[in-house]
Short mmCIF file of all heavy atoms in Angstrom, two decimals:
data_model
loop_
_atom_site.label_atom_id
_atom_site.label_comp_id
_atom_site.label_asym_id
_atom_site.label_seq_id
_atom_site.Cartn_x
_atom_site.Cartn_y
_atom_site.Cartn_z
N LEU A 424 -24.87 -11.48 3.41
CA LEU A 424 -25.14 -11.49 4.84
C LEU A 424 -26.62 -11.31 5.17
O LEU A 424 -26.98 -10.74 6.20
CB LEU A 424 -24.26 -10.48 5.56
CG LEU A 424 -22.78 -10.91 5.60
CD1 LEU A 424 -21.89 -9.79 6.08
CD2 LEU A 424 -22.60 -12.15 6.47
N GLY A 425 -27.45 -11.82 4.28
CA GLY A 425 -28.86 -12.03 4.56
C GLY A 425 -29.56 -10.82 5.12
O GLY A 425 -29.47 -9.70 4.62
N GLU A 426 -30.29 -11.04 6.23
CA GLU A 426 -31.14 -10.01 6.81
C GLU A 426 -30.35 -8.89 7.50
O GLU A 426 -30.95 -7.87 7.88
CB GLU A 426 -32.10 -10.66 7.83
CG GLU A 426 -33.05 -11.66 7.22
CD GLU A 426 -33.91 -12.36 8.27
OE1 GLU A 426 -34.00 -11.85 9.39
OE2 GLU A 426 -34.47 -13.43 7.94
N ARG A 427 -29.04 -9.08 7.67
CA ARG A 427 -28.27 -8.08 8.41
C ARG A 427 -27.54 -7.09 7.49
O ARG A 427 -26.91 -6.15 7.98
CB ARG A 427 -27.26 -8.76 9.34
CG ARG A 427 -27.86 -9.78 10.31
CD ARG A 427 -29.09 -9.28 11.02
NE ARG A 427 -29.56 -10.22 12.03
CZ ARG A 427 -30.84 -10.42 12.32
NH1 ARG A 427 -31.79 -9.75 11.67
NH2 ARG A 427 -31.20 -11.28 13.26
N TYR A 435 -27.15 -3.66 14.82
CA TYR A 435 -27.10 -5.11 14.92
C TYR A 435 -27.02 -5.54 16.39
O TYR A 435 -27.74 -6.43 16.86
CB TYR A 435 -25.89 -5.62 14.13
CG TYR A 435 -25.85 -7.10 13.82
CD1 TYR A 435 -24.90 -7.57 12.91
CD2 TYR A 435 -26.72 -8.02 14.39
CE1 TYR A 435 -24.82 -8.92 12.59
CE2 TYR A 435 -26.65 -9.36 14.08
CZ TYR A 435 -25.71 -9.81 13.18
OH TYR A 435 -25.62 -11.15 12.88
N GLU A 442 -26.25 -12.70 18.98
CA GLU A 442 -25.94 -13.03 17.59
C GLU A 442 -24.84 -12.12 17.05
O GLU A 442 -23.92 -12.59 16.35
CB GLU A 442 -27.19 -12.88 16.73
CG GLU A 442 -26.98 -13.24 15.25
CD GLU A 442 -28.18 -12.88 14.42
OE1 GLU A 442 -29.27 -13.42 14.70
OE2 GLU A 442 -28.02 -12.04 13.50
N TYR A 451 -20.11 -16.63 11.11
CA TYR A 451 -21.01 -16.00 10.15
C TYR A 451 -22.28 -16.82 9.92
O TYR A 451 -23.30 -16.26 9.48
CB TYR A 451 -20.28 -15.78 8.82
CG TYR A 451 -19.02 -14.97 8.95
CD1 TYR A 451 -17.83 -15.41 8.34
CD2 TYR A 451 -18.98 -13.80 9.68
CE1 TYR A 451 -16.67 -14.67 8.45
CE2 TYR A 451 -17.82 -13.05 9.80
CZ TYR A 451 -16.66 -13.49 9.18
OH TYR A 451 -15.50 -12.77 9.29
N ASP A 452 -22.25 -18.09 10.22
CA ASP A 452 -23.40 -18.96 9.97
C ASP A 452 -24.60 -18.61 10.86
O ASP A 452 -25.70 -19.08 10.61
CB ASP A 452 -23.04 -20.42 10.14
CG ASP A 452 -22.15 -20.96 9.02
OD1 ASP A 452 -21.82 -20.17 8.11
OD2 ASP A 452 -21.80 -22.16 9.05
N VAL A 453 -24.40 -17.79 11.91
CA VAL A 453 -25.53 -17.43 12.78
C VAL A 453 -26.44 -16.40 12.12
O VAL A 453 -27.55 -16.18 12.58
CB VAL A 453 -25.05 -16.89 14.14
CG1 VAL A 453 -24.17 -17.90 14.85
CG2 VAL A 453 -24.33 -15.54 14.00
N VAL A 454 -25.98 -15.75 11.05
CA VAL A 454 -26.73 -14.64 10.46
C VAL A 454 -27.93 -15.18 9.68
O VAL A 454 -27.76 -15.99 8.76
CB VAL A 454 -25.82 -13.81 9.54
CG1 VAL A 454 -26.60 -12.66 8.91
CG2 VAL A 454 -24.62 -13.26 10.32
N PRO A 455 -29.14 -14.75 9.99
CA PRO A 455 -30.33 -15.26 9.28
C PRO A 455 -30.28 -14.94 7.78
O PRO A 455 -30.05 -13.80 7.38
CB PRO A 455 -31.49 -14.53 9.96
CG PRO A 455 -30.97 -14.05 11.26
CD PRO A 455 -29.51 -13.79 11.05
N GLY A 456 -30.47 -15.97 6.98
CA GLY A 456 -30.53 -15.78 5.54
C GLY A 456 -29.18 -15.62 4.86
O GLY A 456 -29.12 -15.40 3.64
N ALA A 457 -28.10 -15.71 5.62
CA ALA A 457 -26.76 -15.50 5.04
C ALA A 457 -26.24 -16.76 4.37
O ALA A 457 -26.69 -17.88 4.66
CB ALA A 457 -25.79 -15.08 6.14
#
Side-chain angles (χ1 to χ4, degrees):
L424 289 170
E426 297 175 18
R427 306 313 185 214
Y435 195 170
E442 182 189 300
Y451 304 132
D452 287 1
V453 303
V454 179

